[in-house]
Amino acid sequence: MEAHLLLEARLPMLGSATDFTYKWCVNMGLERNDAAKMALASDEILTDVLLHGYKNESGYIEIWFQYTFSEIEIAIQEKGEPFDPEKHTYDAEKAINEHDFEGAALKTVKKMTDQFLFLNRGKDGKEFRLVKQFTSSHIKDMLPEHFEPEDLDEPEPDSDYLLTPATSEDAEDIAKLIYQSYSYTYSKEDLYFPKRIETAIKHEYKFGTIIRTEGGGPVGYFAVIRSTDSMIGEVGEAVVSPNHRGRGLMKKMMNELIKMSKQRGLKGLFGMASTFHIISQKVNDKFGFKSTALIIAKSPRKLYKGMTSETSEIVSVIMDFLPLTKLWRKPVVLPEAYKEILTEIYAQFTEQNNSISSGKPTFEQKDKTDLSLTINYETKNVLITVKQYGKTFETSCLRLFRSIEELNLNAVYIDLPLNSPRINRALEWLKEEKFIFSGLMPLFHQESDHMRMQKIKVDMDFEQIKTYTDLAEKMKKLIKQEYDALQER
């Protein structure tokens, strides 16, 4: 689970923060040695901040602990004295001959972590991001030598099936099932690592169902990945063993997932369906999901060990959404530039949920801009979430853009809340900064609807993007039109 510490900038707080960091990392599944490295790296950053950033003044330091299935990220935020890491580089000769250890702390941090990023956000403060990836066994390494994927399948054609909730004890069987069904081609790489599956289910970051035969063999798995930012979930992991397909198992599991999601109080489900083929889009449509966005360059198409193809492609996805609550209300504020397409997107849900109606806009004007940043190092994209528009919106965004320039990104996404008329000016400026339309993200942040814009930093071939529904095709044409216009500049 995520955690947040707000600390007074005083040295006596350091030990407690370091202690908490180590224990949290261990609880989240890091090996003790890796957890110690993250604690040491955090300690180095905090010590430098306390000694140099807040030398003659009081203040606070915020630490955000975030978990994904593949890594741990710690973000340390402070507003102490300005600091430029490029001016404080470590020199081994100076350290030996002059006992000058300037820059040693940052070198230690880089050594202890898999990713280290410094963000200078100007008046919004400074941010240090530390990332450590999980090290765990791949399912292939846990199987006997010369084992082939098909050797795992034990079809029982006339068998009855047992559908039960997935538990952490099912982790290895789930990984075997993925390997058996897809070899190395499944898009969610974490499902090849039983320990990651076990940790995610144990901490309820995901919940799902597993289907077994009478003999106990796993033949189907389907899970919802819970959002950490809102009461919604992604139907993002699904598999049925090849020899057991065509028997309605996927339908049984999807119906059970919808039931389980309602029992847990989720307000909606969404799916990110690949645009390389339309099968997953068809499945979502069959269960009442409606297309709301087209997200370009969502991730690189990975090549796994054992695959012969040498072509690496960029994956785009269709965002499909299914509301689970009767209390979902359409916002009043729809930006003028995209009012027509957004109105069409909302209109898809009126037959399914007649209670969708206009809510109350937030017209209160604030001076402060509040932005959050999520970096996905594996998929090479970042998401900026606007929590509050303010007079400093443009300058705050520019500082953030500059801070992430060193990352080799495929795309930058920004989610804008549909609760203020300030969105119109924000959109005008973002389009000047080469952002284009993406779509609607329903209930995506704090149970509020957001509109997504996207800045694509790689070349895209829209002929490779396949869509199933008419509205998805309409969004594709709009996005391609804006994309092409940027290429002509």
Side-chain angles (χ1 to χ4, degrees):
M1 58 197 73
E2 293 190 350
H4 174 221
L5 295 181
L6 177 63
L7 304 174
E8 191 175 353
R10 297 191 303 115
L11 281 172
M13 297 293 181
L14 185 59
S16 298
T18 304
D19 222 19
F20 179 86
T21 299
Y22 173 76
K23 291 177 180 177
W24 185 86
C25 288
V26 169
N27 288 338
M28 287 291 92
L30 274 187
E31 297 294 334
R32 292 185 180 275
N33 185 48
D34 287 338
K37 289 179 180 179
M38 282 294 271
L40 174 60
S42 299
D43 185 90
E44 290 285 353
I45 293 295
L46 290 171
T47 300
D48 265 17
V49 169
L50 291 169
L51 291 177
H52 306 295
Y54 289 99
K55 288 183 291 189
N56 301 309
E57 57 182 314
S58 60
Y60 291 90
I61 299 172
E62 289 190 82
I63 310 176
W64 298 86
F65 300 84
Q66 298 175 320
Y67 161 90
T68 70
F69 301 146
S70 57
E71 63 195 21
I72 292 290
E73 182 176 50
I74 298 175
I76 300 172
Q77 301 170 346
E78 48 94 0
K79 292 186 177 181
E81 185 177 286
F83 166 75
D84 182 358
E86 294 182 3
K87 303 291 185 182
H88 302 274
T89 56
Y90 177 73
D91 187 319
E93 289 189 8
K94 281 188 176 182
I96 295 172
N97 300 324
E98 304 174 25
H99 300 286
D100 182 350
F101 295 94
E102 182 177 22
L106 291 181
K107 188 172 181 65
T108 299
V109 170
K110 291 176 182 178
K111 186 77 173 176
M112 295 295 104
T113 59
D114 294 321
Q115 294 276 356
F116 172 65
L117 182 65
F118 171 72
L119 302 176
N120 188 342
R121 299 172 68 170
K123 292 182 179 179
D124 297 322
K126 301 182 291 299
E127 190 170 317
F128 303 84
R129 292 198 171 218
L130 320 175
V131 175
K132 176 62 74 174
Q133 296 170 343
F134 288 109
T135 54
S136 53
S137 298
H138 192 288
I139 187 61
K140 186 68 165 65
D141 299 326
M142 302 172 68
L143 297 171
E145 193 175 355
H146 307 304
F147 219 87
E148 295 299 327
E150 56 268 23
D151 294 335
L152 290 166
D153 194 16
E154 299 178 0
E156 299 174 46
D158 300 322
S159 174
D160 289 331
Y161 296 101
L162 177 64
L163 184 151
T164 61
T167 71
S168 58
E169 294 180 358
D170 296 316
E172 186 172 331
D173 279 348
I174 292 169
K176 287 180 178 178
L177 184 57
I178 293 293
Y179 178 61
Q180 162 214 322
S181 303
Y182 294 102
S183 187
Y184 293 103
T185 64
Y186 196 73
S187 60
K188 299 291 180 74
E189 187 180 6
D190 297 302
L191 290 180
Y192 291 99
F193 297 87
K195 186 64 177 178
R196 297 183 188 180
I197 301 171
E198 179 185 337
T199 301
I201 295 176
K202 178 181 176 181
H203 292 291
E204 299 185 353
Y205 276 96
K206 68 172 74 170
F207 61 87
T209 183
I210 188 168
I211 290 182
R212 296 181 181 274
T213 62
E214 285 181 321
V219 295
Y221 165 73
F222 207 164
V224 169
I225 303 166
R226 301 184 71 143
S227 169
T228 58
D229 192 22
S230 196
M231 287 297 290
I232 59 175
E234 178 187 3
V235 283
E237 299 174 351
V239 60
V240 172
S241 178
N243 288 331
H244 294 265
R245 291 173 186 170
R247 304 182 187 185
L249 300 187
M250 189 66 73
K251 180 179 179 180
K252 288 182 179 180
M253 290 192 293
M254 176 67 94
N255 286 332
E256 183 66 17
L257 281 187
I258 293 173
K259 178 182 175 182
M260 294 169 75
S261 298
K262 289 180 177 178
Q263 290 172 341
R264 285 163 171 77
L266 297 192
K267 298 181 182 298
L269 292 173
F270 68 92
M272 298 286 189
S274 170
T275 59
F276 270 103
H277 51 75
I278 61 175
I279 296 175
S280 52
Q281 297 178 50
K282 284 183 177 180
V283 171
N284 288 345
D285 182 72
K286 182 178 179 181
F287 284 95
F289 288 73
K290 303 298 181 184
S291 301
T292 66
L294 170 55
I295 304 171
I296 305 297
K298 184 70 168 63
S299 65
R301 195 175 193 182
K302 286 197 167 185
L303 301 181
Y304 298 101
K305 177 183 175 184
M307 294 180 66
T308 57
S309 171
E310 295 182 358
T311 302
S312 181
E313 300 169 270
I314 299 296
V315 177
S316 299
V317 297
I318 294 288
M319 160 86 176
D320 295 317
F321 183 71
L322 176 69
L324 299 178
T325 175
K326 296 294 183 181
L327 301 178
W328 180 34
R329 299 174 68 83
K330 174 183 172 183
V332 166
V333 182
L334 297 182
E336 292 300 324
Y338 298 108
K339 191 169 186 176
E340 181 181 339
I341 187 71
L342 288 173
T343 299
E344 267 194 77
I345 291 171
Y346 275 112
Q348 298 177 105
F349 300 99
T350 52
E351 291 184 6
Q352 185 174 359
N353 190 340
N354 292 323
S355 68
I356 296 181
S357 58
S358 296
K360 294 182 179 181
T362 302
F363 290 109
E364 184 181 0
Q365 301 297 307
K366 303 269 187 176
D367 289 336
K368 183 183 177 183
T369 299
D370 190 358
L371 307 175
S372 71
L373 175 68
T374 302
I375 303 173
N376 194 318
Y377 300 93
E378 186 178 0
T379 59
K380 296 186 177 181
N381 60 56
V382 303
L383 171 63
I384 299 169
T385 304
V386 180
K387 296 183 177 181
Q388 182 177 283
Y389 299 104
K391 292 180 180 179
T392 62
F393 176 78
E394 296 173 16
T395 53
S396 293
C397 284
L398 281 174
R399 292 188 195 114
L400 210 48
F401 296 162
R402 284 196 293 268
S403 293
I404 59 177
E405 280 179 355
E406 66 182 77
L407 299 175
N408 181 26
L409 299 173
N410 290 332
V412 178
Y413 310 115
I414 184 164
D415 285 359
L416 307 165
L418 296 169
N419 64 0
S420 168
R422 285 194 175 187
I423 191 174
N424 289 299
R425 172 57 193 150
L427 276 175
E428 289 177 15
W429 180 77
L430 286 170
K431 292 175 80 170
E432 292 172 3
E433 293 294 317
K434 299 184 178 181
F435 280 80
I436 61 177
F437 182 74
S438 176
L440 175 69
M441 311 301 284
L443 300 174
F444 226 68
H445 306 287
Q446 300 299 306
E447 289 75 59
S448 295
D449 292 358
H450 285 61
M451 177 189 162
R452 177 166 294 186
M453 296 289 284
Q454 53 192 345
K455 185 173 185 177
I456 312 306
K457 302 173 77 67
V458 292
D459 294 332
M460 291 299 304
D461 179 6
F462 279 77
E463 293 300 317
Q464 300 297 318
I465 296 177
K466 310 299 180 185
T467 58
Y468 177 64
T469 66
D470 291 340
L471 189 51
E473 181 64 21
K474 187 170 184 176
M475 286 189 287
K476 172 186 167 181
K477 288 179 179 178
L478 171 60
I479 292 167
K480 183 180 185 301
Q481 180 182 356
E482 294 189 342
Y483 176 86
D484 289 344
L486 287 178
Q487 309 313 306
E488 294 170 2
R489 282 190 185 182

